[in-house]
Amino acid sequence: MPKRQHLLGIWLALTGITALVCLILGLLLDSILPTTSTSHRIMLVILACMTPVLMTLGGIILEQNLFAPLRRLQVQFSRLVANPDANDDFTPEGWLNHLAPDFDHLKKGWREDRQKLISARQSGAEDAMRIRHELEAVVQFLEVPLLLCDQHQRVLMLNPAAEALFHDHPALGLGRHLQQLLPLPNLSETLKKLPVDGSPRQLLLHHEDRWLRCNIRRVSANQGEALLTLEDTTEAHTTHQRWRQPLAELLPKLRGHAATLSTTAEALSSAANNSLIKEKLENAMHQESQKLGGLIDQLAHLLESLQLDQGRLSDTWSNDFISALVDSWQNSHVMIVPIGIPAWFRADSPTLLAMLERLLPELIQTTQASSIEFEICLGNKRVYLDIIWKGAALTQQTLETWRDLPLSEQPLAPRICDVLNQHNSDWWSLPDHDREHARLRIPLPATDRHAEPNKSIQPRPEFHDFSIADLPPPKSELADLNLNQLEMIVFDTETTGLKLRSGDTIVSIGACRVVNGRLLATEKFDQLVNPERPIPATSTAIHGLTDEDVKHAPPLKIVLPRFRAFIGQGVLVAHNAAFDLLAIQMHQEESGVVFDMPILDTLLLSRVIDPDIDEHSLDALAERFQIHFPAGTRHTALGDARVTAELLLTLLPRLEARGVHTLQQALALQAKAETIRVG
């Protein structure tokens, strides 16, 4: 059906031409007739105007009774194809109202057939769903990080432990190539040569300053899947290196002095009494014994330090640590109260807790405190654990006495000084500024973590997708792939303004992933960007971001490489992609990445599919296909990206109905749409 503007133009042109012809004919008749009275001239004018008026009335009648109902019927058909379960329908109107019963019957039959198919499919999938839930329940609580890959090294399954191991890594996700996550040649070669009988292969992987022990085996399945179990052995490796080197230096010296001592003892046994040689041998034995004793002392110190090694230190949240101390506290007469702002620090938590449990009774007995407060203070590269009470500060002599207190009555139990040495720490007591309180300060190693830990780990809505294994290999030509087989990254940007070529830039990037024709709920990229320039109030009124919101965000040259890693081998999708693509491509050079992958534009695709419908904005299309923006997500990068992804999924069946099945066909189709210059 032609566009409304074209029909209106044709109708106006025909009406104007008809009016002009009638006017010319009237003038000719007026000049030809020998005598024309006023009444005859009035009749000629009426006849000349009658035809244009009739055409105008006819056009209005056709518009109201035929063309407008046809357009609404077209929208209804497109909605029925894209979203058969939509509630709102356009009832045929005007001259098409007699089609209402047939159209209702068609909709009812279509929806009933779909419901029957859904019911049949649901009954056959109940057992599979039950098995899936059982698998999810088991895999979710495994503390061992698991990754399952297909024969093309694409991730089919991962568990929360793997997500925690690769926390915030942009290349972690279903369908992503393992080499994007662990770009190690030895891992790739091992996966290619895994035995088919399921025999395991072990690798020690060094990646991003971490040592990962990897156990790989082939799974007995149809697609040649490989199961990887991972263990972060960085701390254990560091610990071994810490004691291996001094031990390697001590042992040869011990052997040398022991051999010298043995040789001297043999010579001494054969030497004559009261001889000069015997005296020299005795002196040599004495010297060697002293050296050997010193080496044995070093060895003993090394073994003691191994018992409390810093390799056992781990990131600890202060609130969790003090809560554990409160739970184990037995004295009901003295309260332990945490104060101040919580923070992260590194500690051997069980040992440090045992030290505090041993120390607090001594502190309470000495200070007669009725309440003990704990506060975490941030220092220069250290975190201070402060124990506060009401009273005077402790003397250095008291602290020195407490340093030798054992943590328990067990033989060889570590002392308080051993725990302090383990944390490379010391302690001191000082009065507070109010002169009423005092504190015992214990410095502890700091960590790079700052954000508060999650209260609970939510299960991943999608942690496996075995149908990824049926996709073509990653090296297949993208152009010939079916649209449902593509990995599509749907993204959106928010900017400081619309004039990108005049200095406006990105303040937020949001993206989500569509794999196998479905939107993955948790595979997202959501990052604020510091534009390094003020955000105008007119732009803040749209997306709600202020200078304060992005003040501590990374600049675009840091964000774009992470976004490129999130895209991986996927195809980009956006609504009005020309603007968003220009926003990121203008900063390619400074960020060191290139965005040269194919890109689909839902705006252009919608224009080509429905050329006679005027409005193709994201809001209009969302309303047309009943896609809802969650509250507060409109004009946020991630919110708009997710709605664009839903829009893309509604357009895919309409593209298939028009014979568009591959990426190449979709790109060729959208190229037919009219484009405008942006930025």
Side-chain angles (χ1 to χ4, degrees), residues 57-232:
L57 293 175
I60 294 173
I61 293 172
L62 286 173
E63 171 65 21
Q64 292 180 348
N65 294 279
L66 180 61
F67 296 130
L70 280 175
R71 280 192 293 272
R72 285 192 286 270
L73 187 64
Q74 181 184 10
V75 171
Q76 178 58 38
F77 268 113
S78 65
R79 176 183 294 178
L80 197 60
V81 173
N83 188 3
D85 299 320
N87 296 323
D88 298 336
D89 292 331
F90 290 116
T91 302
E93 300 172 345
W95 294 340
L96 304 181
N97 59 358
H98 64 282
L99 298 177
D102 295 332
F103 188 70
D104 291 339
H105 179 75
L106 175 64
K107 290 187 297 183
K108 183 179 179 181
W110 191 355
R111 289 170 178 171
E112 287 178 351
D113 290 342
R114 290 184 73 256
Q115 190 59 44
K116 290 177 182 178
L117 288 174
I118 292 173
S119 299
R121 198 181 312 126
Q122 184 176 2
S123 61
E126 286 180 354
D127 288 341
M129 185 60 67
R130 176 179 56 81
I131 295 173
R132 171 181 174 174
H133 288 326
E134 292 176 355
L135 176 64
E136 288 177 351
V138 172
V139 174
Q140 177 185 341
F141 293 105
L142 283 178
E143 295 182 356
V144 178
L146 298 177
L147 293 172
L148 185 69
C149 303
D150 69 355
Q151 60 181 333
H152 304 301
Q153 301 183 24
R154 291 175 299 204
V155 177
L156 305 179
M157 182 184 74
L158 58 102
N159 67 339
E163 188 177 37
L165 178 63
F166 297 102
H167 174 67
D168 201 29
H169 199 297
L172 178 67
L174 297 178
R176 306 300 293 272
H177 200 281
L178 192 62
Q179 283 295 308
Q180 295 174 329
L181 185 65
L182 294 170
L184 304 171
N186 58 339
L187 176 60
S188 180
E189 291 300 319
T190 303
L191 286 169
K192 294 177 182 178
K193 299 176 182 178
L194 281 178
V196 295
D197 60 357
S199 301
R201 293 290 182 266
Q202 290 81 29
L203 288 176
L204 184 62
L205 308 175
H206 185 252
H207 178 57
E208 294 184 352
D209 298 328
R210 290 196 297 180
W211 290 95
L212 302 176
R213 187 180 299 278
C214 181
N215 191 302
I216 317 172
R217 66 178 67 219
R218 182 78 65 193
V219 178
S220 299
N222 296 329
Q223 300 293 341
E225 289 90 347
L227 180 66
L228 291 79
T229 60
L230 299 166
E231 178 186 1
D232 191 345

Side-chain angles (χ1 to χ4, degrees), residues 16-26:
I17 293 172
T18 303
L20 182 61
V21 170
C22 291
L23 179 62
I24 293 173
L25 288 175

